[in-house]
Amino acid sequence: MAMTEKKGGSRKRNERRRNLITGYAGKWEPLFEKKAAARATAARVLSGVSEGVKRAKNTGGTVRVTYVIRSADEEPEIELEEIAPQKDALDIALAAAKQRGAERVAEILKGPEMLSADEFADEIGATRETVNRKRKRYEILGLEGAKRGVRFPKWQIGDDGQLLGGLAQIFEALNGHPWAVYRFLLQESDSLGGRTGLEMLRKGMIDHAVGAARSIGRGDFS
């Protein structure tokens, strides 16, 4: 009899324990589910950040990552958007100036006095290769544009068919910049008595022209 009562009491205690465990499990289950959903959301967010970083690195630009979380039960929506850099007034002005400069260069190079290498070579009785070599040695002025290639001003050839003297020194004074040389040769200068560098070279006044060009190269005046 005593043994029977002991077995019956053990069964009751086991049953109460199972009920207690089941009750606790029922209470904790929603919490576990919420934590799992939160972890999934966090993983999705990190995935979006990683993708945004990769795209920014590949494009070299700025990428905006936007998340839309409607409820805890739904995965967040992720949008990646490349943002164009904003230009301030200075950027816009510089871009406009650059465009005007490109248009002016194109206008100059299509002028009737601008010759191709072959045409210039015919004028001085030389080959195209000779013209290119002299250009590299700064004995001939060649101007380069985006579309028309290199053009050679015809006015650097004298009436006797000889090239303009002193040109290499002018190049040296102006740091080897062809367009700076072009401007100096055609622009009137106060330091040259209102005359152009081209006029001075044609008159054989090379030292005066080179001195004025060196002052410009040093930034003494424009």
Side-chain angles (χ1 to χ4, degrees), residues 120-179:
F120 197 88
D122 290 341
E123 290 287 336
I124 64 174
T127 64
R128 177 190 181 96
E129 289 73 22
T130 298
V131 169
N132 288 326
R133 282 198 299 269
K134 287 181 175 293
R135 172 179 173 242
K136 292 178 180 178
R137 295 198 297 261
Y138 297 139
E139 297 173 8
I140 293 176
L141 173 62
L143 301 170
E144 190 169 1
K147 297 181 179 180
R148 303 186 67 85
V150 180
R151 289 293 184 268
F152 301 86
K154 185 178 180 179
W155 42 251
Q156 60 186 311
I157 304 173
D159 294 336
D160 56 358
Q162 298 299 310
L163 294 172
L164 198 63
L167 194 58
Q169 294 97 307
I170 299 297
F171 263 102
E172 181 183 2
L174 296 175
N175 302 311
H177 296 303
W179 283 103

Side-chain angles (χ1 to χ4, degrees), residues 1-11 13:
M1 179 66 69
M3 183 63 69
T4 303
E5 289 179 358
K6 186 175 182 180
K7 289 183 178 180
S10 177
R11 283 197 300 271
R13 284 195 300 272

Side-chain angles (χ1 to χ4, degrees), residues 31-139:
L31 180 59
F32 292 149
E33 292 177 353
K34 289 181 180 179
K35 287 186 176 180
R39 285 195 295 269
T41 298
R44 179 70 170 150
V45 169
L46 291 175
S47 175
V49 172
S50 177
E51 181 63 27
V53 171
K54 289 180 181 179
R55 182 175 298 187
K57 184 177 180 180
N58 291 336
T59 62
T62 301
V63 176
R64 176 187 290 135
V65 183
T66 303
Y67 300 94
V68 179
I69 302 176
R70 304 188 185 282
S71 70
D73 298 332
E74 297 182 16
E75 288 190 357
E77 298 177 7
I78 299 177
E79 297 179 359
L80 299 179
E81 177 186 4
E82 295 183 15
I83 303 175
Q86 294 184 350
K87 295 183 178 181
D88 57 21
L90 179 58
D91 291 329
I92 295 174
L94 290 175
K98 184 177 181 180
Q99 178 62 30
R100 290 195 298 271
E103 292 173 355
R104 177 56 179 155
V105 166
E107 181 181 347
I108 291 173
L109 293 183
K110 70 180 181 181
E113 76 281 6
M114 292 294 173
L115 307 179
S116 67
D118 290 329
E119 292 169 336
F120 197 88
D122 290 341
E123 290 287 336
I124 64 174
T127 64
R128 177 190 181 96
E129 289 73 22
T130 298
V131 169
N132 288 326
R133 282 198 299 269
K134 287 181 175 293
R135 172 179 173 242
K136 292 178 180 178
R137 295 198 297 261
Y138 297 139
E139 297 173 8

